[in-house]
Amino acid sequence: MSCSSAHRVDQHQILSRRRLLSGSAASLALWGFVPRTLAGTRDPRLLAIVLRGGLDGLSMVAPVGDPDYERVRKTLALKAEGTGAGLPLDGFFVLNPAMPFLHGLYRRNEALAIHAVTTPYRGRSHFDGQDVLESGLAGAGRTEDGWLNRALARLDNAGRANPKGLAMGAVVPLVMRGAAPVLSWIPNAYNIPLRDSTVARLMDLYAETDPRLAKAFADGMAIDKVAGAGPLLAPQPKPKLAADAPPAKQYREFTDAAVMAARFLAAADGPRIGALSYNGWDTHANEGVLQGQLANRLAGLDAAIHALADGLGAAWKDMVVLLVTEFGRTVHVNGTEGTDHGTATVALLLGGAVKGGRVLADWPGLAEKSLHESRDLRPTRDLRAVLKGVLRDHLAIPDGALARTVFPGS
């Protein structure tokens, strides 16, 4: 690295690889994800959002300050200014312009991006990549539980926190499967509620024949009651953010789950740890960074973040949202104006409990000699280190449990 480029990187908070060689949670304290004054909060909340398909981190948080960026990204390159410009972050990186609400959170110091990160997985299979991402293990293989459930099992029931987890979707994702109890919710396809008399008869029947089923049914009715309730918190005044209009109706695929997650996580006796996922990030053809499929997906994700922040109200101050994906995309654009399965990408932390307003990366550069396997952004940080830092500082899970049980082998 030349002296001039080293100065540029230093200027934009790109961290020394030597300083952060260790992947332990202790080393991540240097990054300051969560302010230490909030680490002892009595009611912390955490939501992990998995973006399935392999998010193009170079198009979401673009390194416009890298001298090779426009050369390698060609038609997919964002600009620092003018037509096709991204939203400014720190002078080196810009945010995709489809995400104005997220940009407002960043300016409010409630959003943090960590670039050039990935899991230990180095293959190109969605299935294996997601398995590694959600299991928290060093490689793909048969496993019955995920890192978020293992973390949940080691939480103290601090304050009003519910020791149960929350899974949004038709199937409990691997990241939330395990020994710790989990509530799951999917939309009611027909919106036909059970009558109270029917619920009572079913409860009596299950109590007589199958106590475990009776308990599961009771839990299901309890979470359904929360889902069907009115607003759980009075609206809270918030500083004006960019694009502060209500999320557009065309993004209901994203916002419906976010609205319900916020309702559960904000409830006085609701769960405090949750997971949901969004599909559709596999952009092999016609990626559409400014207009098209990726821009539309990012706009939908932005609307979901907006809905989540609005729905949490005052509880937002104790919130951390993790945005993660199984791997990134290739640096070079393919012949169909898309990108193929890659390696390193970007992860984001959002919420009132996040020490944001920064992009953190040990930036490897986009010169040909710097790429992983001559095609991908080279990873310089294990995503598990990021997750360990958040779990320790936000949920007070001890280092020993993180290293031995939550992320064994890390």
Side-chain angles (χ1 to χ4, degrees):
M1 180 179 288
S2 69
C3 292
S4 60
S5 62
H7 175 74
R8 182 189 67 250
V9 168
D10 224 19
Q11 190 176 5
H12 294 96
Q13 299 182 322
I14 310 302
L15 301 181
S16 158
R17 189 176 300 112
R18 186 172 62 250
R19 258 183 83 206
L20 289 174
L21 188 61
S22 168
S24 69
S27 72
L28 268 293
L30 295 172
W31 288 22
F33 293 149
V34 181
R36 299 301 298 175
T37 55
L38 288 179
T41 179
R42 296 300 299 165
D43 208 4
R45 293 159 172 84
L46 178 69
L47 180 66
I49 299 179
V50 179
L51 306 177
R52 301 187 186 279
L55 169 70
D56 186 356
L58 293 173
S59 291
M60 183 186 194
V61 179
V64 295
D66 188 303
D68 293 291
Y69 171 68
E70 288 195 40
R71 176 184 62 80
V72 296
R73 295 301 274 184
K74 298 180 179 176
T75 56
L76 298 186
L78 296 177
K79 307 292 184 182
E81 55 187 16
T83 304
L87 303 171
L89 296 176
D90 64 355
F92 188 85
F93 294 98
V94 299
L95 181 66
N96 191 288
M99 308 193 79
F101 188 81
L102 175 57
H103 188 245
L105 292 179
Y106 180 91
R107 295 179 63 184
R108 227 168 83 186
N109 296 329
E110 293 182 351
L112 174 71
I114 306 104
H115 224 313
V117 298
T118 194
T119 70
Y121 182 65
R122 293 296 179 270
R124 304 188 188 279
S125 161
H126 290 300
F127 302 104
D128 288 346
Q130 291 173 25
D131 184 81
V132 173
L133 170 67
E134 297 184 67
S135 71
L137 305 180
R142 181 172 176 79
T143 182
E144 300 298 330
D145 59 1
W147 63 265
L148 193 54
N149 189 282
R150 295 195 296 271
L152 180 65
R154 279 145 191 86
L155 275 182
D156 291 329
N157 190 10
R160 295 173 298 172
N162 190 321
K164 294 180 180 178
L166 171 68
M168 308 292 295
V171 177
V172 176
L174 175 59
V175 70
M176 191 51 96
R177 293 181 210 158
V182 175
L183 302 173
S184 61
W185 181 86
I186 58 175
N188 185 343
Y190 302 103
N191 198 29
I192 301 175
L194 291 174
R195 294 180 179 178
D196 290 343
S197 59
T198 304
V199 172
R201 285 196 296 271
L202 288 171
M203 287 291 291
D204 289 342
L205 175 64
Y206 294 152
E208 292 288 336
T209 59
D210 191 333
R212 292 180 64 185
L213 184 57
K215 184 178 185 306
F217 183 74
D219 286 344
M221 293 310 301
I223 198 169
D224 198 53
K225 184 177 180 180
V226 174
L232 294 159
L233 293 170
Q236 301 294 318
K238 306 190 304 293
K240 188 75 173 177
L241 296 178
D244 220 13
K249 290 182 179 179
Q250 69 262 34
Y251 301 129
R252 286 192 59 187
E253 171 194 356
F254 288 88
T255 57
D256 282 359
V259 167
M260 295 313 303
R263 177 166 291 180
F264 292 126
L265 293 168
D269 58 350
R272 291 296 181 260
I273 312 298
L276 64 86
S277 60
Y278 294 118
N279 300 327
W281 306 94
D282 198 13
T283 50
H284 283 290
N286 301 314
E287 184 164 320
V289 171
L290 290 172
Q291 293 181 336
Q293 66 170 309
L294 182 61
N296 291 337
R297 303 303 291 175
L298 291 175
L301 181 60
D302 197 57
I305 295 166
H306 191 167
L308 185 65
D310 282 353
L312 283 165
W316 177 256
K317 69 178 177 16
D318 284 335
M319 188 72 195
V320 171
V321 181
L322 295 165
L323 296 176
V324 294
T325 189
E326 67 262 34
F327 46 60
R329 315 297 300 181
T330 50
V331 166
H332 296 286
V333 184
N334 63 27
T336 59
E337 292 299 309
T339 50
D340 299 316
H341 298 175
T343 307
T345 185
V346 69
L348 287 100
L349 307 180
L350 324 170
V354 172
K355 185 179 177 183
R358 299 172 293 157
V359 180
L360 300 178
D362 179 7
W363 189 245
L366 296 175
E368 298 300 322
K369 64 180 180 181
S370 301
L371 302 183
H372 174 68
E373 296 184 349
S374 301
R375 54 175 276 165
D376 302 339
L377 178 65
R378 182 165 55 85
T380 58
R381 180 58 40 205
D382 189 328
L383 180 61
R384 294 174 299 173
V386 177
L387 303 176
K388 286 162 72 174
V390 172
L391 293 176
R392 189 193 70 168
D393 288 352
H394 189 51
L395 301 182
I397 297 177
D399 288 344
L402 290 169
R404 291 190 298 270
T405 307
V406 181
F407 295 101
S410 64

